[in-house]
Amino acid sequence: MDPFVCVNVLSLFYENGRGHDLPKTLDWVYEVLLHRAYVGGSRYYMSPDCFLFFMSRLVQRINDQAVLNRIRPLFVERLQERVGAAGDAMDLAFRILAASTVGIQCPRDLEKLLAAQCDDGGWEMCWFYQYGSTGVKAGNRGLATALAVKAIETAIARPPSPAPSAASSSKLDI
């Protein structure tokens, strides 16, 4: 069982009003969060920030106040531990996006993400997934760029502009 996958399954169930059907899975995911068992990644996902991003989606979908009261404080604590940690552009974007869902700011991570932008406006390809049986990694530059742009927009709370500004010198205006 992969905790990253379990978090996504829980998100799906909570989004559809069926989260109560998976109490043991929720307990296990809570234990993974509690003991930081996600930090080394999993068989399929390598990034602890990816796990926290998936957790942020779950936290947003939990509609049971008792469950939310149990999970949210630990989730916030684990996010605060990751602020400023090393990571590639996708890790930074995952972290910024997850943190934004609970009101945590990550200015150092945002600076690192902005500095990692390539001259062509995108971000380097980052590994997102690995096949468990072979260890072959899968990544996508478009996904890294899309996550980075969304994270930056979220962090600066500015809606995306409809077109690049000719007067702007920022690399972000792609």
Side-chain angles (χ1 to χ4, degrees), residues 65-123:
Q65 195 60 47
V67 173
L68 193 56
N69 289 344
R70 178 180 175 218
I71 296 223
R72 192 176 192 278
L74 181 59
F75 171 65
V76 168
E77 184 179 322
R78 294 300 178 254
L79 271 171
Q80 290 170 330
E81 292 171 356
R82 293 290 306 160
V83 172
D88 61 24
M90 196 176 296
D91 293 330
L92 295 167
F94 280 142
R95 188 178 314 143
I96 291 166
L97 289 167
S100 73
T101 66
V102 291
I104 297 173
Q105 304 235 344
C106 307
R108 288 177 292 167
D109 295 321
L110 178 60
E111 287 176 24
K112 288 184 214 173
L113 183 59
L114 288 166
Q117 187 176 19
C118 299
D119 289 337
D120 68 359
W123 277 260

Side-chain angles (χ1 to χ4, degrees), residues 6 9-11 13-14 18-27:
C6 287
V9 170
L10 283 166
S11 290
F13 271 67
Y14 272 99
R18 307 253 335 256
H20 61 276
D21 289 341
L22 299 174
K24 290 181 181 179
T25 304
L26 181 66
D27 288 343

